[in-house]
Amino acid sequence: MAILRRFAPLAWFRSPVERHEFGYRQVAHLGWRFIDPHDEFRPVFEEAVRDAPRQLDWQFKVKRNSLILPVRLTEETARCGDNFSHAEYRLFADQEFCLATSTDMELILQALDAAAPPAPAAPETP
């Protein structure tokens, strides 16, 4: 969330915890909405999703929200009648896939961190 906030103020943010309460890995992905649209950042997100991952294919989508998703999650969502939660649940059984999403997400976040504007300096206290 801190990396995305360096691009622009957020109205909404979602990312699953890395591990389910029972210890299983979950499918890594990001969803967010900036308070105001910022189409100028689209190429930065597209590049990070295209170039950073090493194990899986990913996509950056913008509808009402911006999304960074593994392509397999998008395909599974379509097979589940656009029920995103059900698709996540079905992929949850493939722990190797879930681990690969976590590893790739870390690389995507590193790329976004490197591309993000610097964080504003904290005000000095007297």
Side-chain angles (χ1 to χ4, degrees), residues 27-30 48-50 53-60 68-72 100-105 108:
V27 179
H29 61 279
L30 290 177
V49 167
R50 181 185 62 241
R54 300 277 187 256
Q55 299 183 51
L56 305 169
D57 291 327
W58 290 75
Q59 69 182 154
F60 171 67
I68 294 177
L69 305 164
V71 169
R72 185 174 168 198
T101 65
S102 293
T103 302
D104 275 356
M105 180 57 75
I108 291 168

Side-chain angles (χ1 to χ4, degrees), residues 96-109:
E96 286 184 34
F97 172 72
C98 293
L99 176 59
T101 65
S102 293
T103 302
D104 275 356
M105 180 57 75
E106 184 61 36
L107 295 170
I108 291 168
L109 290 172

Side-chain angles (χ1 to χ4, degrees), residues 6-98:
R6 288 183 23 224
F7 286 95
L10 295 171
W12 177 84
F13 173 82
R14 178 179 186 246
S15 180
V17 293
E18 189 170 316
R19 290 191 179 268
H20 186 271
E21 63 184 284
F22 298 120
Y24 296 102
R25 291 192 176 274
Q26 300 202 74
V27 179
H29 61 279
L30 290 177
W32 74 93
R33 184 178 333 119
F34 292 125
I35 290 174
D36 295 312
H38 285 278
D39 292 336
E40 70 273 22
F41 297 133
R42 183 181 206 117
V44 173
F45 294 112
E46 289 170 342
E47 181 180 341
V49 167
R50 181 185 62 241
D51 297 343
R54 300 277 187 256
Q55 299 183 51
L56 305 169
D57 291 327
W58 290 75
Q59 69 182 154
F60 171 67
K61 296 180 10 173
V62 179
K63 291 187 178 180
R64 182 169 185 230
N65 301 316
S66 297
L67 302 167
I68 294 177
L69 305 164
V71 169
R72 185 174 168 198
L73 177 56
T74 302
E75 292 167 347
E76 191 65 32
T77 300
R79 281 192 286 277
C80 292
D82 286 334
N83 185 328
F84 188 81
S85 296
H86 188 63
E88 283 183 298
Y89 177 76
R90 288 178 59 155
L91 292 174
F92 176 71
D94 185 347
Q95 285 293 286
E96 286 184 34
F97 172 72
C98 293

